[in-house]
Amino acid sequence: MNKEWMVVAGSIIAAFSAILGINAMSSASELLASSLSEPIYKMSSVTSFYLVAQIGIIPVTILFLKYVSPAKLTFYAAISFATFSILCALSNTLEGLLVARVGQGLS
């Protein structure tokens, strides 16, 4: 499989993971809002920031593949996503959660 098709496959997987992420955030929004002492309407920004980051990084992936092998890029993305997931779990402010979700989106 050439690099362009790998990017297409990665984009499909990214879109699927975005849908899963949106569903998870929608399900947990009320609980997150209460645990962060924030109004529920602010939780939509968490999903929006994540999607913007994820959509923005997809075209940049092609540039990364010129310098890093697909296997290494996948490895780095998985480690990065796991790290930002832990940061999401440890966030106790809306701003911290936003930063961690943007990091997930960029992963």
Side-chain angles (χ1 to χ4, degrees):
M1 182 184 293
N2 62 21
K3 288 182 182 181
E4 287 81 15
W5 280 108
M6 292 183 91
V7 172
V8 170
S11 299
I12 292 169
I13 291 169
F16 181 70
S17 71
I19 292 168
L20 290 177
I22 291 168
N23 287 338
M25 276 302 301
S26 296
S27 300
S29 287
E30 195 171 326
L31 181 62
L32 281 170
S34 67
S35 70
L36 296 174
S37 301
E38 295 284 348
I40 189 127
Y41 70 88
K42 287 189 176 183
M43 292 296 112
S44 65
S45 62
V46 175
T47 301
S48 299
F49 279 53
Y50 172 77
L51 284 174
V52 169
Q54 194 171 45
I55 290 167
I57 200 67
I58 290 171
V60 179
T61 304
I62 296 169
L63 296 174
F64 289 155
L65 287 173
K66 290 182 180 181
Y67 303 104
V68 180
S69 72
K72 283 185 181 180
L73 185 62
T74 303
F75 175 76
Y76 294 142
I79 295 298
S80 175
F81 188 85
T83 302
F84 282 112
S85 294
I86 291 168
L87 291 175
C88 280
L90 297 175
S91 296
N92 29 350
T93 64
L94 179 62
E95 293 78 15
L97 183 60
L98 283 171
V99 169
R101 286 292 284 172
V102 167
Q104 280 183 323
L106 293 174
S107 298

